[in-house]
């Protein structure tokens, strides 16, 4: 490319014969080179714009959470704050995200900021040492945004780390390694080392002893000065300079390594807080590596695939268990990574619900002394397989199933353990399943031979009756004596139907046990007759429905509480509506004094649950000026109504001082921040001077007033000012307009133009069109605007019309 760009200069050089043009081919290559250069610059600009957009959107999210406002309002406030601070929007966004996150990036930026040069220099140590103009917070947050855009693409992550964060620190190359539990490394991404080196170091087996493997093993950052052959084997080795290798941790586990190369001498003290900055970058690598996994075709990936295929071919229940480690690398549990199609859970849970669970969460009783968990740990530590034909397994449940004797096999493959078990099969297995089903459903079966008097019960029936082992079963004819007196009649009718009418029947009754416990039971029975029609036996089942009965009682009590809560909520809404209507009547008499006519309209929301905090005020002050205000409190109900009362009355009292609207809003912001509980509001405040016929007004994030003159309406440009309660110390600009006779000034809340589709600009244009139509009389004019139904939401509407006479 360089030779092609200098070719025209050689053609014009007077020192030799001019080289004749070679025709269209050379011109085409030059044009292609220029196009590639231009597209590359555009691509870089687009990436930087995308990264800045991600950073700004993160900051907007912080403002939405902190200010409890809409995203559009957060974006507007962010731009306003950046303009007031005379700071670039990405820089302010980086500061806001850092303050909210308090992560390693924020700690690194704080350390750099604290590293000041001697007093009076006016420069930080970062500005003196780093050859770049952007602050550390912005540089690292931009790198974080690039990592977010990169996603699982660790190659793009490595390029972003080098270009955005490491080149300003003098580094020329960076690599991101993914660490496997067996000690092997996979080169996930690199920048600056070159494709040849990347191909050579794509996979590092265990035990090679590279710098990255040492960093993973020792769990600390390594600094090494490169000088010829003294450096341990590593990516791009053999060149002079300095190498830093930083382990990347995810949840305390070392999942990878960040390796950085400098061409000259560099150390931890070269740049302010350099180790902290590298730790923050390694944390970004860990977040990407945690979802990166093994590369296709890598040994770890091939081993995992083979084991999964092996498990699916095993005829017994089998599962793969991968160890979970703490920060010190000690095994605390095993995660059930995969189960085969034949896996059977004795507790009856489907295999899909167990995959991904820690072993001790799925089977906590395995942790008992001498239990299966200890054997799994021993197999993982030693690699010696374990087989036993009579391992006693205990499983969870309510009630817990009895211990089960099973054949168990354990074997280690790499870092995972293969667990297989063979549970009792055939008739014994089916009997266990039936017994388990009876326990889960609270059912017990019985058969009573009426000829011999022999009674057969399944095990759960003794538990239902609360009888100790060995106690004789209760015969059917004695059942009324065990029932609650109120239910004894129903039990006798049940027995008469089964024993005398020889028909199947069922009854629900309360059983009084000998231990004083009362259970709700349902019994179903059918007669068994011989060939001649003689009744010889009765078969049936009992079911414990106590939980259902208790649930019905609890549901009835809950319904009563819900009804009471609804009545209380309705009462609160009624009180809030009364308070709102007492302070904000729908219509008041026009104010006409000193050449000014003021008319107001207030239309509350139709739904009681949307009682809001909109308010207006029009009052003549002692100096004959007229205070005109419209405001909107964030929130509804009692909180919104009481917050509105506080701010409205506070502004009335402050206006007596004679201060201008900007000072009044600044004081009112202090009231919202300090004298209320998390109140935020938008307000437009104006003072009309009847002598000069001028309106001086200030705005705190409210909708702009509309000025109507000579049948033309326009929205006034609001002066700067953030909404009340957003920041502790806020200043508000003022602006002044002269009101000519017959001009109309409209001040309103957003309920007048609010739409569900969020298109406020279109709604404002509709309002301007409606306001430009001439209507006789100020009162009729306001009624005309309300009848236009510009908004399609059910919200409060406050509207003030001001007209000089």
């Amino acid at each position: 490319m360089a030779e092609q760009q200098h070719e025209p200069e050689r053609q014009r050089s007077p020192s030799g014969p001019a080289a004749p043009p070679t025709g269209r081919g050379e011109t085409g290559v030059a044009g292609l080179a220029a196009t590639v250069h231009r597209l590359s610059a555009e691509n870089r600009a687009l990436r930087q714009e995308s990264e800045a957009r991600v950073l700004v959107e993160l900051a907007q999210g912080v403002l939405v959470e902190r200010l409890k406002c809409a995203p559009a309002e957060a974006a507007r406030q962010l731009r306003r704050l950046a303009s007031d601070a005379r700071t670039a929007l990405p820089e302010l966004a980086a500061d806001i995200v850092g303050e909210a996150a308090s992560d390693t990036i924020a700690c690194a930026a704080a350390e750099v900021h604290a590293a000041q040069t001697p007093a009076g220099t006016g420069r930080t140590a970062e500005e003196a040492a780093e050859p770049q103009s952007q602050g550390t917070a912005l540089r690292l947050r931009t790198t974080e945004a690039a990592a977010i855009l990169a996603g699982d693409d660790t190659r793009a992550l490595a390029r972003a780390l080098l270009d955005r964060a490491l080149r300003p620190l003098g580094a020329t190359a960076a690599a991101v390694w993914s660490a496997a539990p067996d000690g092997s490394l996979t080169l996930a991404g690199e920048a600056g080392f070159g494709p040849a080196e990347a191909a050579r170091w794509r996979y590092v087996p265990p035990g090679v002893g590279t710098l990255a493997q040492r960093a993973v093993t020792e769990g600390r950052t390594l600094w090494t000065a490169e000088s010829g052959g003294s450096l341990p084997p590593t990516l791009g080795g053999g060149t002079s300079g300095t190498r830093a290798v930083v382990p990347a941790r995810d949840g305390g586990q070392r999942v990878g390594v960040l390796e950085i190369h400098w061409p000259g001498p560099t150390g931890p003290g070269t740049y302010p807080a350099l180790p902290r900055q590298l730790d923050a970058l390694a944390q970004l690598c860990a977040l990407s590596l945690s979802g990166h996994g093994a590369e296709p075709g890598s040994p770890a990936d091939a081993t995992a695939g083979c084991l999964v295929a092996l498990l699916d071919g095993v005829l017994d229940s089998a599962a793969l268990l991968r160890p979970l480690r703490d920060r010190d690398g000690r095994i605390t549990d095993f995660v059930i990574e995969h189960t085969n199609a034949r896996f059977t859970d004795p507790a009856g849970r489907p295999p899909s619900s167990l995959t991904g669970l820690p072993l001790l969460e799925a089977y906590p009783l395995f942790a008992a002394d001498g239990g299966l968990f200890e054997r799994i740990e021993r197999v993982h530590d030693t690699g010696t397989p374990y087989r036993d034909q009579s391992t006693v397994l205990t499983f969870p449940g309510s009630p817990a199933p009895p211990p089960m004797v099973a054949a168990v096999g354990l074997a280690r493959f790499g870092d995972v353990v293969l667990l297989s078990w063979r549970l009792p099969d055939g008739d014994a297995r089916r009997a266990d399943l039936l017994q388990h089903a009876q326990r889960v459903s609270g059912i017990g079966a019985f058969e009573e031979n009426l000829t011999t008097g022999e009674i057969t019960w399944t095990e759960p029936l003794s538990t239902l009756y609360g009888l100790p082992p060995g106690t004789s079963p209760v015969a059917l004819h004695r059942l009324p004596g065990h029932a609650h007196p109120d239910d004894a009649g129903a039990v006798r009718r049940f027995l008469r139907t089964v024993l005398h009418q020889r028909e199947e029947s069922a009854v629900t009754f309360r059983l009084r046990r000998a231990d004083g416990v009362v259970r709700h039971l349902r019994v179903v029975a059918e007669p068994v007759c011989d060939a001649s029609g003689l009744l010889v036996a009765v078969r049936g089942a009992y079911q414990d429905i106590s939980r259902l009965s208790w649930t019905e009682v609890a549901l009835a009590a809950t319904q009563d509480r819900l009804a009471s809560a609804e009545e209380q909520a309705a009462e609160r809404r009624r009180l809030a509506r009364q308070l709102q209507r007492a302070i904000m009547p729908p219509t008041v008499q026009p104010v006409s004094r000193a050449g000014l006519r003021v008319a107001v309209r207030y239309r509350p929301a139709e739904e009681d649950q949307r009682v809001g905090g909109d308010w207006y005020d029009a009052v003549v002050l002692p100096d004959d000026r007229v205070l005109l205000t419209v405001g909107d409190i964030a929130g509804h109900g009692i909180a919104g109504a009481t917050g509105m009362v506080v701010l409205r009355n506070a502004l009335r009292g402050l206006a007596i001082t004679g201060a201008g609207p900007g000072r009044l809003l600044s004081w009112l912001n202090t009231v919202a921040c300090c004298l209320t509980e998390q109140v935020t509001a938008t307000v437009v405040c104006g003072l009309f001077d009847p002598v000069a016929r001028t309106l001086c007004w200030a705005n705190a994030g409210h909708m702009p007033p509309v000025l109507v003159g000579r049948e033309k309406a326009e929205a006034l440009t609001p002066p700067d000012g953030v909404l009340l309660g957003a920041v502790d110390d806020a200043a508000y600009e003022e602006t002044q307009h002269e009101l000519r006779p017959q001009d109309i000034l409209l001040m309103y809340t957003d309920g007048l133009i609010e739409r569900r589709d969020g298109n406020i600009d279109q709604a404002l244009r509709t309002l301007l069109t409606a306001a430009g139509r001439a209507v006789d009389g100020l009162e009729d004019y306001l009624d005309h605007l309300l009848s236009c139904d510009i908004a399609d939401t059910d919200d409060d509407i406050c509207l003030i019309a001001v007209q000089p006479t």
Side-chain angles (χ1 to χ4, degrees):
M1 287 291 186
E3 293 179 0
Q4 294 167 359
Q5 292 173 354
H6 288 290
E7 186 63 24
E9 295 182 6
R10 292 200 300 269
Q11 293 176 0
R12 293 194 302 267
S13 174
S15 60
T22 58
R24 294 177 57 188
E26 200 166 270
T27 303
V29 170
L32 180 60
T35 301
V36 171
H37 180 75
R38 175 177 57 81
L39 292 178
S40 298
E42 291 178 356
N43 191 26
R44 288 192 300 270
L46 287 175
R47 283 201 305 268
Q48 294 175 0
E49 182 180 356
S50 298
E51 294 161 4
R53 187 182 302 115
V54 169
L55 188 56
V56 170
E57 289 175 354
L58 290 174
Q60 291 177 7
V62 173
L63 290 183
V64 168
E65 193 277 334
R66 294 288 177 84
L67 302 181
K68 308 299 182 186
C69 62
E73 178 64 21
R76 191 170 69 89
Q77 294 297 335
L78 184 62
R79 292 192 297 270
R80 178 69 54 78
L81 292 173
S83 175
D84 292 344
R86 297 181 179 179
T87 303
L89 194 59
E91 294 184 23
L92 179 60
D95 292 338
I96 292 175
V97 173
E99 180 181 359
S102 299
D103 54 1
T104 53
I105 292 179
C107 294
E111 283 193 17
V112 172
H113 183 72
Q116 297 287 339
T117 55
T121 61
R123 302 183 66 200
T124 65
E126 176 194 27
E127 294 171 342
E130 294 185 14
Q132 43 88 32
S133 59
Q134 291 180 329
T136 300
L138 178 59
R139 176 165 52 81
L140 295 180
R141 290 299 174 190
T142 304
T143 306
E144 182 181 34
I148 294 175
L149 293 174
D152 291 338
D153 187 353
T154 48
R155 294 178 178 86
L157 172 65
R159 289 194 299 270
L161 291 175
L162 181 62
D163 295 338
R164 303 290 181 269
L166 294 173
R167 286 197 194 279
L169 297 176
T172 56
V176 179
W177 298 92
S178 175
D182 61 355
S184 64
L185 295 178
T186 302
L187 184 61
E190 64 83 29
F193 289 108
E197 281 295 293
R200 288 179 55 203
W201 291 89
R202 181 171 179 269
Y203 174 74
V204 181
V208 176
T210 64
L211 285 175
Q213 287 177 323
R214 285 177 49 194
V216 172
T217 302
E218 300 176 17
R220 63 186 180 89
T221 301
L222 302 179
W223 291 87
T224 305
E226 305 178 24
S227 57
S230 63
L231 185 70
T234 187
L235 176 69
T239 57
S240 61
T242 305
R243 191 76 59 120
V245 189
V246 188
R249 297 178 176 86
D250 181 24
Q253 297 187 9
R254 301 160 193 166
V255 297
V257 177
L258 172 62
E259 187 168 353
I260 310 119
H261 173 263
W262 283 269
T266 305
T270 306
Y271 300 100
L274 180 58
R276 179 77 73 172
Q277 296 187 57
L278 299 185
D279 287 342
L281 298 178
Q283 179 65 25
L284 294 180
C285 297
L287 295 177
S288 178
L289 290 173
S290 61
H292 182 64
E295 289 191 7
S298 67
D301 180 71
T303 301
C306 291
L307 287 177
V308 170
L310 176 64
L311 252 68
D312 291 338
V314 174
L315 296 179
D316 295 327
S317 296
L320 278 183
L321 308 178
R322 186 173 296 278
L324 295 175
R325 294 178 169 87
D326 59 12
R327 294 186 177 182
D328 298 327
R330 292 188 298 268
I331 294 178
T332 59
D333 202 348
F334 291 81
V335 65
I336 303 175
E337 190 167 88
H338 179 73
T339 56
N340 64 352
R342 292 182 175 269
F343 187 87
T344 301
D345 175 55
R349 294 168 294 185
S352 59
S353 67
L354 300 176
T355 303
L357 284 181
L359 181 65
L360 293 182
E361 181 178 337
Y363 302 105
L365 298 179
F366 285 5
D369 292 340
L372 189 60
F373 187 81
E374 288 186 5
R375 296 189 177 98
I376 296 173
E377 281 187 310
R378 190 177 303 115
V379 170
H380 184 273
D381 291 340
T382 64
T384 304
Y386 171 84
R387 296 179 184 88
D388 185 37
Q389 295 296 324
S390 57
T391 300
V392 178
L393 301 179
T394 307
F395 299 97
S398 180
M404 187 175 297
V405 178
V408 174
L410 299 170
R412 191 186 74 185
F413 293 87
D415 194 49
V416 298
V417 174
L418 171 62
L419 163 67
S420 64
W421 61 45
R422 182 178 300 166
L423 303 175
D425 54 5
D427 294 338
R429 179 61 181 157
R430 285 189 289 272
D432 288 339
L433 287 176
L434 177 59
Q435 190 176 23
H436 173 72
Q438 290 179 343
R439 276 194 303 269
V440 171
S441 58
I443 294 177
F446 70 92
E447 180 181 271
E448 184 171 345
N449 190 319
L450 299 180
T451 303
T452 63
E454 180 184 2
I455 301 174
T456 303
W457 273 9
T458 59
E459 182 182 350
L461 270 188
S462 296
T463 304
L464 289 180
Y465 270 84
L467 299 177
T471 305
S472 299
V474 177
L476 284 177
H477 69 275
R478 293 168 52 195
L479 190 58
H482 291 267
H484 191 280
D486 295 341
D487 300 333
V491 173
R492 292 189 183 95
R493 288 192 295 272
F494 157 75
L495 293 177
R496 191 161 46 249
T497 302
V498 174
L499 299 177
H500 298 286
Q501 300 176 11
R502 301 177 185 181
E503 296 178 359
E504 181 180 343
S505 183
V507 67
T508 300
F509 67 99
R510 286 166 288 178
L511 174 70
R512 296 191 304 174
R513 301 192 333 190
D515 56 5
V517 175
V518 176
R519 309 294 295 183
H520 293 257
L521 299 184
R522 175 177 173 81
V523 58
V524 179
E526 64 176 1
V528 178
C529 300
D530 60 9
S532 62
L534 180 64
L535 180 66
V536 295
V538 175
R539 294 172 182 166
Y542 290 85
Q543 183 177 15
D544 187 355
I545 59 172
S546 300
R547 292 184 179 178
L548 177 61
S549 300
W550 298 334
T551 300
E552 292 176 349
V553 173
L555 179 60
T558 302
Q559 290 175 339
D560 292 340
R561 289 195 297 269
L562 288 176
S564 177
E566 290 178 356
E567 292 178 359
Q568 294 177 4
E571 180 64 17
R572 288 195 297 269
R573 290 195 295 268
R574 186 185 65 80
L575 292 176
R577 177 64 72 198
Q578 287 182 348
L579 174 63
Q580 189 181 49
R581 288 174 175 171
I583 300 174
M584 295 286 116
T587 306
V588 299
Q589 294 299 322
V591 176
S592 180
R593 182 172 179 179
L596 184 69
R597 181 181 295 110
V598 180
V600 299
R601 286 292 184 274
Y602 176 68
R603 187 170 70 186
E606 295 180 1
E607 300 180 10
D608 285 343
Q609 58 266 30
R610 291 190 54 82
V611 174
D614 291 15
W615 94 85
Y616 63 85
D617 208 353
V619 60
V620 180
L621 300 178
D623 58 2
D624 289 336
R625 292 186 300 171
V626 180
L627 173 67
L628 304 169
T629 60
V630 169
D632 187 0
I633 294 287
H636 296 84
I638 290 290
T642 55
M644 173 266 292
V645 173
V646 170
L647 294 188
R648 179 175 181 265
N649 292 343
L651 185 58
R652 272 195 172 192
L654 294 172
I656 302 298
T657 63
R663 173 67 69 178
L664 292 178
L665 289 186
S666 179
W667 289 340
L668 196 61
N669 179 70
T670 302
V671 173
C673 292
C674 302
L675 301 182
T676 59
E677 296 183 358
Q678 298 180 345
V679 169
T680 57
T682 62
V683 181
V684 59
C685 175
L687 290 173
F688 177 74
D689 187 344
V691 178
R693 291 186 179 275
T694 58
L695 177 73
C696 183
W697 63 287
N699 188 41
H702 199 77
M703 302 298 299
V706 172
L707 181 61
V708 184
R710 298 177 182 176
E711 298 185 359
K712 179 182 179 182
E714 61 176 347
L716 300 180
T717 301
D720 289 341
V722 300
L723 77 165
L724 301 181
V727 293
D728 293 340
D729 188 10
Y732 297 87
E733 295 184 358
E734 298 178 355
T735 188
Q736 188 168 288
H737 288 85
E738 181 181 357
L739 298 184
R740 298 170 300 180
Q742 305 310 315
D743 282 352
I744 298 176
L745 181 71
L746 298 176
M747 301 164 67
Y748 53 93
T749 58
D750 58 0
L752 182 64
I753 61 173
E754 190 174 33
R755 299 188 58 82
R756 293 186 177 90
D757 57 12
N759 195 344
I760 295 297
D761 294 336
Q762 178 61 39
L764 183 58
R765 288 192 292 269
T766 304
L767 173 62
L768 295 178
T769 301
R773 296 179 56 188
V775 177
D776 294 335
L778 200 58
E779 299 291 322
D780 295 338
Y781 183 67
L782 292 185
D783 293 335
H784 160 67
L785 293 180
L786 290 177
S787 67
C788 291
D789 290 331
I790 303 171
D792 61 359
T793 61
D794 181 22
D795 202 357
D796 295 354
I797 298 176
C798 286
L799 180 60
I800 294 183
V802 179
Q803 184 180 39
T805 59

